[in-house]
């Protein structure tokens, strides 16, 4: 078992207060464990219980008001190292970012994400107007988190290729199809995406992609091993996807599985995935 002396920085964590920003994607039947509020203070407590040094908070709804509130509500929380927020990529991106950065906690804005699953158009990321927004992020010092399903990985590779100046962060290894027969397709397309030097990937959100109650470290080992072969330790980021991890054993169960599955790596490679890559990609040293 991996020692718990490793220092980790969580690259992917969510908070929400539904009176401010409803979360209509939460199914009260299948997601009863997270059908409640998770304010920033609860995230800080969860990090502390698991010995995690800090986190990146990631947007959950496509509203700039949510991003403004995330920045304001976490501005005095040292455990929150940065916020990946939302802007309308089809609009005036520099103006929106300037407004966010001028507001409370605006210096914590480190990246942008869009919940693509809310779009009827599965090729939304490939649209020209979206592409102009993606191009605008690099001069602003912002990354873009790619949230797509495994069937969209080949498309994502084209998008990443078309915007070489922008740094892309693939969320959840592309939503690994653990409960289907499409793992071979996922493995092929993840390797295709990994060929692009301006993309990194988060080792996160895996436990909720399996059949409920079925995931084990052994079942996840081939997935993480493939990610290591394709991206390498220098381009992978540990993330919890908390509080969604509460649906499958909680933060601690996933963290321990991750530590065990990467225990064979050198101390240098462990440190990279555990947090150094996250600090570099999101510019936390700045």
């Amino acid at each position: 078992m991996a020692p718990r002396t490793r220092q980790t920085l969580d690259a992917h964590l969510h908070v929400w207060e539904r009176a401010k920003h409803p979360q209509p994607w939460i199914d009260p039947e299948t997601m009863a464990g997270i059908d409640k509020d998770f304010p920033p203070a609860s995230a800080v407590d969860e990090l502390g219980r698991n010995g995690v040094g800090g986190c990146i908070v990631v947007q959950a709804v496509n509203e700039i008001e949510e991003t403004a509130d995330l920045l304001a509500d976490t501005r005095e929380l040292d455990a929150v190292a940065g916020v990946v927020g939302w802007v309308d990529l089809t609009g005036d991106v520099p103006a929106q970012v300037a407004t966010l950065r001028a507001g409370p906690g605006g210096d914590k804005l480190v990246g942008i994400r869009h919940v693509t699953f809310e779009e009827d158009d599965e090729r939304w990321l490939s649209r020209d107007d979206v592409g102009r927004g993606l191009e605008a992020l690099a001069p602003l010092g912002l990354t873009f988190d790619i949230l797509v399903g495994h069937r969209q990985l080949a498309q994502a590779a084209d998008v990443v290729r078309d915007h070489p100046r922008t740094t892309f962060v693939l969320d959840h290894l592309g939503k690994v199809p653990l409960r289907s027969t499409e793992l071979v397709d996922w493995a092929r397309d993840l390797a295709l995406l990994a060929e692009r030097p301006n993309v990194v990937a988060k080792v996160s959100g895996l436990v909720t992609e399996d059949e409920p109650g079925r995931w084990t470290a052994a079942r996840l080992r081939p997935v993480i091993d493939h990610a290591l072969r394709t991206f390498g330790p220098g381009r992978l980021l540990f993330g919890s996807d908390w509080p969604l991890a509460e649906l499958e054993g909680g933060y601690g169960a996933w963290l321990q599985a991750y530590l065990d599955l990467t225990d064979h790596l050198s101390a240098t490679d462990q440190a990279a995935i555990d947090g150094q890559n996250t600090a570099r990609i999101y510019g936390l040293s700045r």
Side-chain angles (χ1 to χ4, degrees):
M1 181 173 291
R4 281 301 287 117
T5 55
R6 287 166 58 177
Q7 301 299 309
T8 46
L9 174 63
D10 189 339
H12 199 101
L13 180 150
H14 301 287
V15 297
W16 56 74
E17 295 176 85
R18 294 171 300 174
K20 291 182 180 179
H21 305 286
Q23 306 292 322
W25 56 273
I26 299 178
D27 184 331
E29 292 186 9
T30 62
M31 298 182 173
I34 61 170
D35 189 19
K36 57 184 179 180
D37 287 349
F38 290 90
S42 68
V44 173
D45 290 344
E46 191 67 24
L47 294 172
R49 278 192 292 270
N50 288 282
V52 177
C55 71
I56 301 292
V57 168
V58 179
Q59 62 90 224
V61 292
N62 296 339
E63 299 174 356
I64 199 166
E65 294 81 9
E66 184 211 34
T67 299
D69 283 342
L70 289 175
L71 292 167
D73 294 346
T74 63
R75 66 187 185 279
E76 295 182 1
L77 299 177
D78 292 340
V80 177
V83 171
V84 172
W86 182 90
V87 298
D88 180 3
L89 290 173
T90 68
D92 188 336
V93 171
Q96 296 172 79
V97 170
T99 298
L100 289 171
R101 284 178 164 163
D107 59 328
K108 285 194 173 184
L109 185 68
V110 296
I112 298 299
R113 187 177 85 147
H114 185 95
V115 181
T116 58
F117 303 131
E118 292 188 2
E119 303 293 337
D120 293 331
D121 181 5
E122 286 196 355
R123 296 196 61 80
W124 181 87
L125 270 178
S126 299
R127 285 172 27 177
D128 289 342
D129 53 353
V130 174
R132 287 190 289 272
L134 294 173
E135 278 293 306
L137 296 179
L140 299 171
L142 295 171
T143 62
F144 183 74
D145 268 46
I146 309 176
L147 178 62
V148 294
H150 63 275
R151 295 188 184 93
Q152 297 170 288
L153 284 172
Q155 174 198 354
D158 290 339
V159 172
V160 169
R161 178 202 62 207
D162 291 343
H163 304 284
R165 294 194 308 160
T166 302
T167 297
F168 293 86
V169 184
L170 177 66
D171 288 350
H172 314 324
L173 292 180
K175 305 286 281 185
V176 186
L178 289 167
R179 63 179 74 187
S180 80
T181 59
E182 298 177 84
L183 270 174
V184 172
D185 295 338
W186 165 82
R188 177 199 63 216
D189 292 342
L190 188 78
L192 178 67
L193 180 60
E195 292 176 2
R196 310 300 178 192
N198 57 320
V199 62
V200 300
K202 290 180 181 177
V203 181
S204 61
L206 303 181
V207 298
T208 50
E209 292 303 314
D210 208 339
E211 294 289 347
R214 193 178 178 196
W215 81 270
T216 63
R219 282 173 60 80
L220 295 180
R221 184 175 296 282
V223 169
I224 291 181
D225 286 349
H226 183 63
L228 285 165
R229 283 192 300 270
T230 52
F231 279 92
R235 295 166 61 204
L236 292 175
L237 288 60
F238 161 76
S240 68
D241 199 26
W242 187 85
L244 279 79
E246 292 299 317
L247 299 173
E248 288 293 332
Y251 199 123
W254 159 238
L255 175 60
Q256 189 60 59
Y258 159 77
L259 292 171
D260 291 345
L261 289 167
T262 54
D263 193 39
H264 66 287
L265 299 175
S266 69
T268 298
D269 288 345
Q270 288 176 0
I273 307 175
D274 288 353
Q276 289 177 1
N277 295 339
T278 297
R280 183 186 76 253
I281 293 300
Y282 288 120
L284 302 185
S285 61
R286 296 196 297 271

